């Protein structure tokens, strides 16, 4: 990687401000329901502790909209992190100000504190310079390990790096290296599979991947816009009428570039968008007019799985169907299983796709499941992430 990482700098005794993505889901009683994002930052935190750094962690949590909100405090996160590290993690009452500065000044090497939710201050999302400077005052150095927040130029992800030197943490490095290599120098054939609900969410990803992949497979709700653009009747399936033109144009671009472009040939159609709706498998040209397609059919799933098995690199974003309902989960599960058993490089981006892998118990069998939802999409679009761009360079270049 071209960006400096924690391994390139001296951290012993230093006060290190580590931006992490601890924006974890919680139930109504504020129990953490999925702690993967906390666990994913542990290697960087352990590394810093072992080298005698003073570790100052910062994250956002939820959407408190710039003011204190008791339902968005970092306390449950501090408790979970303590358990994962096997050592106390003190949660400070705020992320800036004299009390926080005093607490940080009293830290010993190897100590870990967690600042209060940075989004309790509206200046965070505004990337206010003064606020970024107040955060920077706490530390000698900035480590960004929050890949999931790197697509946002906020004070704790970008602004702070204008005041103290910034380097990448291990999670950030893994995300960028794995996905960066897939985009820049993939083992071939390079296959991308896109799905999910909306074409409009994925146009940037389609455009970028079309210039790089050998095959593009489209499933999920998105597929119906492409099928309709080809002239199929798709009944009440999800269609983005405004993107029919785009869909046709993307397919001709694929043809010109010699990119294999695959759409579903059979569909699990349902009468209603409901878990127990009447449903049946139909060919794409036989979707009943008042029914909707909620999953790819078994023939399509088999064909996609076969293409995945022959791939050197697979990048997947977007479920193949409404996997949240068991009746429409088979297409997504089949694809995840084919990827899990593939010998190639397998990368999953997107929040719902990652959740699907986790639900099927297959996440550990992928080369990489991105911890960044929106950030992984922007990365796959080929965009520069401001939280990464702000870090110091080892060599010139983008990543
Ligand atoms: P990701 O978060 O991985 O980028 P998206 O947010 O784009 O994925 O899409 C996920 C959503 O797409 C899921 O909630 C899923 O139910 C929905 N979806 C998939 N296929 C269909 C379909 N055929 N009709 C309606 N919704 C669908
Ligand atoms: Mg999503």
């Amino acid at each position: 990687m071209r960006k400096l990482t924690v391994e390139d700098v001296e951290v012993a005794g230093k006060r290190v401000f580590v931006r992490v993505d601890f924006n974890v889901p919680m139930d109504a009683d504020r129990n953490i329901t999925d702690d993967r994002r906390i666990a994913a930052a542990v290697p960087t935190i352990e590394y810093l502790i072992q080298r005698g750094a003073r570790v100052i962690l910062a994250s956002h949590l939820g959407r408190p909209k710039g003011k204190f909100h008791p339902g968005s405090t970092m306390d449950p996160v501090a408790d979970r992190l303590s358990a994962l590290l096997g050592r106390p993690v003190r949660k400070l009452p705020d992320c800036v100000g004299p009390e926080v500065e005093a607490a940080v000044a009293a830290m010993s090497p190897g100590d870990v504190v967690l600042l209060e939710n940075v989004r309790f201050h509206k200046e965070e999302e505004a990337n206010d310079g003064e606020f970024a400077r107040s955060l920077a005052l706490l530390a000698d150095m900035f480590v960004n390990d929050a890949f999931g927040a790197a697509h946002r130029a906020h004070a704790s992800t970008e602004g702070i790096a204008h005041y103290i030197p910034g380097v990448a943490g291990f999670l950030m490095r893994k995300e960028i290296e794995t996905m960066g290599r897939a985009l820049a120098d993939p083992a071939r054939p390079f296959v991308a599979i896109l799905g999910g609900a909306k074409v409009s969410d994925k146009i940037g990803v389609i455009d970028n991947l079309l210039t790089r992949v050998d095959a593009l497979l489209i499933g999920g709700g998105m597929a119906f816009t492409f099928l309709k653009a080809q002239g199929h009747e798709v009944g009440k399936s999800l269609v983005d009428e405004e993107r029919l033109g785009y869909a046709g144009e993307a397919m001709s671009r694929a043809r010109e570039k010699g990119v294999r472009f695959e759409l579903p040939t059979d569909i699990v159609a349902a009468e209603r968008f409901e878990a127990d709706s009447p449903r049946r498998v139909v060919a794409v040209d036989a979707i009943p007019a008042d029914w909707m397609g909620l999953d790819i059919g078994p023939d399509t799933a088999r064909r996609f799985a076969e293409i995945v098995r022959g791939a050197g690199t697979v990048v997947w974003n977007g479920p193949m169907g409404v996997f949240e309902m068991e009746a429409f989960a088979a297409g997504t599960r089949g694809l995840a299983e084919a990827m899990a058993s593939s010998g190639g490089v397998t990368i999953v981006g997107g929040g719902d796709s990652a959740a699907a892998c986790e639900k099927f118990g297959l996440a550990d069998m992928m080369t990489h499941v991105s911890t960044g939802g929106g950030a992984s999409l922007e990365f796959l679009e080929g965009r520069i992430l401001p939280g990464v761009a702000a870090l110091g360079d080892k060599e010139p270049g983008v990543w």
Side-chain angles (χ1 to χ4, degrees):
M1 187 167 77
R2 287 166 169 160
K3 290 292 176 183
L4 292 168
T5 75
V6 273
E7 288 185 320
D8 299 315
V9 287
E10 183 56 67
V11 298
K14 297 270 172 58
R15 296 170 304 154
V16 183
F17 183 106
V18 188
R19 179 57 157 98
V20 284
D21 179 7
F22 285 171
N23 185 29
V24 288
M26 292 183 186
D27 66 17
D29 298 323
R30 306 209 71 215
N31 298 305
I32 296 169
T33 53
D34 178 353
D35 67 0
R36 270 175 302 155
R37 284 179 165 173
I38 304 176
V42 164
T44 298
I45 299 168
E46 296 267 23
Y47 176 91
L48 292 168
I49 293 170
Q50 279 161 16
R51 278 159 187 77
R54 296 164 163 89
V55 185
I56 305 155
L57 301 169
S59 177
H60 71 285
L61 178 63
R63 296 174 190 273
K65 304 220 170 90
K67 53 178 193 294
F68 178 82
H69 186 270
S72 299
T73 63
M74 300 300 295
D75 300 84
V77 175
D79 292 345
R80 181 63 61 91
L81 179 62
S82 255
L84 288 172
L85 292 174
R87 63 162 63 218
V89 174
R90 190 171 154 211
K91 201 224 65 173
L92 302 186
D94 201 346
C95 62
V96 288
E99 205 179 337
V100 174
E101 285 166 25
V104 167
M107 288 172 75
S108 302
D111 280 354
V112 182
V113 297
L114 175 59
L115 302 180
E116 189 46 281
N117 194 340
V118 286
R119 288 198 190 163
F120 284 171
H121 295 263
K122 63 178 185 326
E123 294 84 356
E124 161 67 2
E125 290 185 74
N127 199 6
D128 177 84
E130 261 319 294
F131 181 72
R133 204 177 66 92
S134 311
L135 293 173
L137 269 180
L138 300 173
D140 306 302
M141 181 190 305
F142 168 54
V143 172
N144 195 350
D145 216 20
F147 177 76
H151 58 316
R152 306 279 184 234
H154 293 168
S156 69
T157 62
E158 199 272 345
I160 185 171
H162 296 280
Y163 299 95
I164 48 175
V167 301
F170 295 121
L171 173 61
M172 181 70 92
R173 179 171 74 184
K174 178 168 187 256
E175 294 270 8
I176 291 168
E177 280 189 345
T178 324
M179 291 198 283
R181 198 175 305 131
L183 292 182
D185 184 23
R188 292 190 182 271
F190 179 11
V191 176
I193 303 142
L194 298 178
K198 289 201 276 181
V199 178
S200 54
D201 287 351
K202 307 286 164 82
I203 285 181
V205 179
I206 297 171
D207 286 347
N208 187 36
L209 291 179
L210 267 181
T211 67
R212 300 172 191 277
V213 298
D214 301 297
L216 181 60
L217 282 45
I218 295 200
M222 225 169 89
F224 298 99
T225 301
F226 289 87
L227 289 167
K228 186 161 181 182
Q230 285 187 336
H232 291 286
E233 282 306 327
V234 297
K236 288 192 178 143
S237 306
L238 210 60
V239 169
D240 190 342
E241 296 287 344
E242 281 167 29
R243 311 288 174 184
L244 286 170
Y246 170 80
E249 187 247 317
M251 289 187 283
S252 28
R253 224 179 322 142
R255 238 184 338 266
E256 283 157 24
K257 290 183 185 298
V259 172
R260 178 173 179 188
F261 194 96
E262 297 282 336
L263 287 169
T265 46
D266 61 340
I267 293 293
V268 181
E271 199 174 331
R272 294 182 300 273
F273 192 89
E274 280 168 21
D276 56 0
S277 160
R279 64 192 149 97
R280 61 174 190 263
V281 176
V282 297
V284 271
D285 53 6
I287 303 174
D290 50 352
W291 283 40
M292 61 189 79
L294 295 184
D295 195 9
I296 56 173
D299 286 346
T300 305
R302 259 192 303 276
R303 186 161 45 92
F304 283 13
E306 207 167 295
I307 298 171
V308 163
R309 272 194 291 276
T313 305
V314 183
V315 168
W316 170 37
N317 166 255
M320 295 292 99
V322 184
F323 75 99
E324 297 92 336
M325 300 180 196
E326 195 47 43
F328 310 108
T332 305
R333 182 183 282 113
L335 173 62
E337 282 170 352
M339 285 180 68
S341 60
S342 141
V345 174
T346 50
I347 296 173
V348 182
D352 292 291
S353 311
C357 289
E358 200 64 34
K359 178 179 166 174
F360 303 141
L362 297 169
D364 290 344
M365 300 179 68
M366 307 293 180
T367 306
H368 184 64
V369 179
S370 179
T371 57
S376 63
L377 285 189
E378 292 203 14
F379 194 94
L380 294 176
E381 288 174 11
R383 291 217 247 175
I384 293 187
L385 308 182
V388 181
L391 304 177
D393 293 312
K394 193 152 48 184
E395 312 158 23
V398 179
W399 303 120

